[in-house]
Amino acid sequence: MLSRIAALFDFEGSIEYLPDLLQGALVSVELTICVMVIGLIFGLIIALMRLSRSRLLRLLSTTYVECIRGTPCLLQLFYIYFVLPAFGIRFDPFMAGVIGLAVNYSAYLSEVYRAGILAVPRGQLEASQALGMSRRLMMRLIILPQAIRVVVPPLGNYFISLFKDTSLVSIVTVKELMFTGQIIAATNFQYFTIFTIIGIIYLTLSYPSSLFVSYLERRMKVGYRRSSSRLVKGATVAGRVG
Amino acid sequence: MIRLEKVCKSFGHITVLRDVSLEVQKGEVVCVIGPSGAGKSTMLRCINHLEALDSGTIYIEGQPVYRYMKDGRLVIDREKRIEQIRSQVGMVFQAFNLFPHFTALENIMVSPLHVLREPIAELRPRALALMAKVGLSDKVDAYPHELSGGQQQRVAIARALAMRPKCMLFDEVTSALDPELVGDVLRVMRALATDGMTMIVVTHEMGFAREVADRVVFMDDGAIVEEGPPNQIFTRPNNERTSQFLRSVLQRREELGEGTLPSAPAT
């Protein structure tokens, strides 16, 4: 059985097209990094807009998030690559892929940020206000630094799932790992070999990242548990006496 | 210094403050006592606009603030002015609310540094002096989670003082503390009172109120029921509800076998 599977695997051929696949993997990594950087920045801006006191900003950002979350990422990519050119807006495949995924991810990441910001205890807001801080100062000095430790683990998870989601942009002919594989397979029909190698490449790149994320998660939790246990203790004492 | 005039506040259908009027002179220490839910904390939080009032006026140093009638028109203060007023009114909370990502010293310095834009060269020695004042010179670089509740609360007091406030509001600052840690915090507050700080202290510490207050205010059900010098309030209150409240506090203290210790707060 095992030998039959091994026989199906085209070892010799794989050496031939491995460089192409690795080149594709490099594009996938580039996509991931570009999209993550843009998504982290725009996600934060959108989150701050959703929490702003201006009704207009809230409306705009909420509409954006709901529209993006309510439609498939594939559709958004199609829109950017195939529909926008009809209005004279043209991107090369890589750009279209980056924009499509960044649009998508900024919406999801904004929700992560928003949850993190809302998770900062109310007492922190009140203490900052009582000290005369403006909303802007409070956000920058008190709220965001505390929200970050809450959002790092979920952001890490999004980072890993983004790396895999970059395969979506093969649909707009970006020569990332998946699309490169499809092109090669279309010429030599070595589906088993090629897609197995692709799987292994995704796995070897994702797994260390997920190890790193769970390391971050542990680190963040330690600090938080220690500081919050005091609050909890304080609260129970207050509950008992007061 | 601070004057409340017919302040009303409700949360939904629940009225928390009804026509509360109170005047606090410069340098005066006013302790506010009363059962839970009497509106003591809400009154305090209205003074620095953590809660917005529904009606009535608050005056700080003779000036109406936050929301008031002027020439027959309703004026609502701009954010900038509210921040400026708040920076002059120190507040200490029951739950300390120290910033967990800053050390004790940073907690003290963050606001003067960014709000008052005080140069760090002047601020640092001043912050160190404040740490010494609250008896925590050895904890300058400790993070809040490394401090006991009593130590955290003393840092919180120093943090409020660092803004050079004109008055201080204390909102049940010892209620979340283990009994053996209460004394250190009260000692710091007593020293402040001696220094002539204007203070409004919402407290369940009857011993502290009796000893330190210039005036005691008893609140119940959203209104000020009675106020007067501590001796009068604690020994011969005029109002039945006041004496009832004091009796129940005293009784609990005896049940706990704490005799004259100024601790057991009423529920």
Side-chain angles (χ1 to χ4, degrees):
Chain A
M1 179 68 191
L2 213 61
S3 60
R4 275 187 58 192
I5 293 177
L8 270 175
F9 197 92
D10 176 18
F11 282 103
E12 278 162 43
S14 66
I15 293 173
E16 202 175 298
Y17 42 71
L18 195 59
D20 280 347
L21 288 178
L22 289 177
Q23 177 61 37
L26 185 66
V27 174
S28 292
V29 171
E30 283 170 2
L31 271 168
T32 309
I33 291 168
C34 289
V35 171
M36 201 62 191
V37 169
I38 298 172
L40 283 175
I41 296 167
F42 279 86
L44 181 58
I45 293 171
I46 295 162
L48 292 176
M49 280 169 73
R50 288 200 76 179
L51 295 167
S52 121
R53 276 171 309 170
S54 146
R55 204 183 223 158
L56 179 70
L57 290 182
R58 276 206 312 270
L59 184 74
L60 281 175
S61 52
T62 309
T63 312
Y64 176 80
V65 171
E66 292 308 332
C67 285
I68 298 303
R69 287 201 305 182
T71 54
C73 187
L74 264 184
L75 178 72
Q76 294 153 18
L77 283 166
F78 276 147
Y79 230 84
I80 289 164
Y81 194 62
F82 296 114
V83 179
L84 287 188
F87 299 95
I89 306 170
R90 237 167 261 280
F91 299 108
D92 67 56
F94 186 83
M95 270 304 278
V98 168
I99 293 171
L101 286 174
V103 160
N104 206 267
Y105 267 77
S106 59
Y108 282 97
L109 295 182
S110 80
E111 287 296 278
V112 176
Y113 278 121
R114 197 168 73 103
I117 290 169
L118 292 176
V120 175
R122 210 182 145 61
Q124 295 289 312
L125 271 74
E126 293 186 347
S128 331
Q129 286 176 331
L131 286 164
M133 288 188 199
S134 63
R135 276 177 69 94
R136 189 179 279 255
L137 266 184
M138 170 172 86
M139 246 326 159
R140 181 161 69 84
L141 298 170
I142 310 300
I143 307 295
L144 287 180
Q146 292 185 61
I148 289 296
R149 49 189 322 155
V150 186
V151 300
V152 163
L155 287 183
N157 286 330
Y158 271 100
F159 183 70
I160 293 167
S161 86
L162 169 62
F163 176 57
K164 292 171 297 167
D165 279 355
T166 53
S167 59
L168 281 174
V169 304
S170 59
I171 212 75
V172 293
T173 71
V174 179
K175 282 212 183 93
E176 43 68 72
L177 182 52
M178 201 65 202
F179 192 54
T180 311
Q182 283 174 331
I183 293 171
I184 299 169
T187 57
N188 67 6
F189 306 106
Q190 292 290 342
Y191 292 110
F192 175 62
T193 312
I194 290 165
F195 290 128
T196 306
I197 294 175
I198 289 177
I200 292 167
I201 296 178
Y202 272 120
L203 198 60
T204 43
L205 288 172
S206 299
Y207 188 60
S209 324
S210 83
L211 284 182
F212 181 65
V213 168
S214 48
Y215 161 77
L216 277 182
E217 207 163 330
R218 274 197 308 278
R219 271 202 50 169
M220 294 287 158
K221 249 191 198 149
V222 168
Y224 217 68
R225 205 181 292 140
R226 254 150 76 200
S227 57
S228 61
S229 69
R230 284 239 177 260
L231 277 179
V232 172
K233 193 178 159 216
T236 52
V237 170
R240 182 163 51 79
V241 192
Chain B
M1 175 81 220
I2 295 175
R3 186 154 66 93
L4 282 72
E5 199 178 81
K6 295 200 164 156
V7 168
C8 293
K9 170 78 188 171
S10 48
F11 296 112
H13 295 299
I14 306 154
T15 308
V16 222
L17 295 176
R18 17 183 140 238
D19 283 339
V20 171
S21 297
L22 177 73
E23 188 162 0
V24 179
Q25 303 297 333
K26 194 166 165 39
E28 196 179 15
V29 177
V30 173
C31 283
V32 184
I33 60 169
S36 291
K40 310 179 297 282
S41 292
T42 309
M43 178 180 79
L44 218 55
R45 294 160 59 84
C46 280
I47 294 174
N48 68 354
H49 203 61
L50 286 181
E51 306 286 356
L53 1 165
D54 296 337
S55 66
T57 316
I58 292 176
Y59 298 84
I60 292 179
E61 297 197 299
Q63 298 293 315
V65 291
Y66 310 136
R67 180 191 176 284
Y68 47 90
M69 301 300 286
K70 191 177 174 188
D71 307 327
R73 284 190 23 242
L74 180 71
V75 182
I76 294 173
D77 270 344
R78 305 184 73 90
E79 197 122 329
K80 209 85 228 131
R81 173 141 197 259
I82 295 175
E83 284 156 18
Q84 203 222 330
I85 295 162
R86 278 176 175 155
S87 71
Q88 299 170 5
V89 178
M91 182 158 188
V92 186
F93 300 86
Q94 178 177 354
F96 329 135
N97 297 344
L98 288 183
F99 305 131
H101 55 306
F102 289 146
T103 63
L105 196 69
E106 287 166 347
N107 262 281
I108 294 176
M109 297 201 299
V110 61
S111 211
L113 193 64
H114 293 276
V115 177
L116 306 178
R117 296 179 182 283
E118 187 172 335
I120 193 120
E122 289 169 31
L123 176 57
R124 212 183 132 80
R126 204 162 68 79
L128 288 168
L130 281 166
M131 282 296 277
K133 186 171 180 171
V134 297
L136 292 172
S137 289
D138 53 335
K139 299 287 184 190
V140 166
D141 294 320
Y143 282 90
H145 68 81
E146 297 165 330
L147 299 172
S148 75
Q151 292 169 334
Q152 288 191 53
Q153 195 60 293
R154 284 184 279 156
V155 174
I157 294 173
R159 177 176 70 174
L161 290 174
M163 293 297 285
R164 302 185 212 266
K166 291 175 175 156
C167 64
M168 290 280 284
L169 311 174
F170 293 87
D171 188 6
E172 299 192 23
V173 294
T174 54
S175 299
L177 297 179
D178 293 339
E180 74 271 21
L181 303 175
V182 169
D184 290 332
V185 173
L186 292 183
R187 204 166 301 133
V188 169
M189 289 166 69
R190 203 171 288 134
L192 261 183
T194 316
D195 287 352
M197 174 62 79
T198 311
M199 293 161 67
I200 305 182
V201 185
V202 169
T203 187
H204 289 300
E205 301 288 339
M206 298 306 152
F208 177 82
R210 186 163 192 168
E211 180 199 341
V212 181
D214 296 310
R215 188 152 46 105
V216 174
V217 171
F218 173 68
M219 281 182 81
D220 193 10
D221 199 21
I224 292 179
V225 175
E226 185 171 0
E227 55 180 299
N231 255 331
Q232 184 236 313
I233 297 281
F234 284 111
T235 53
R236 37 188 163 72
N238 292 321
N239 191 291
E240 179 50 32
R241 274 193 286 173
T242 317
S243 48
Q244 209 178 342
F245 170 74
L246 290 170
R247 261 203 310 278
S248 75
V249 173
L250 210 68
Q251 200 181 354
R252 261 202 63 169
R253 209 185 284 165
E254 277 161 9
E255 277 168 15
L256 290 167
E258 291 181 14
T260 52
L261 272 176
S263 57
T267 29

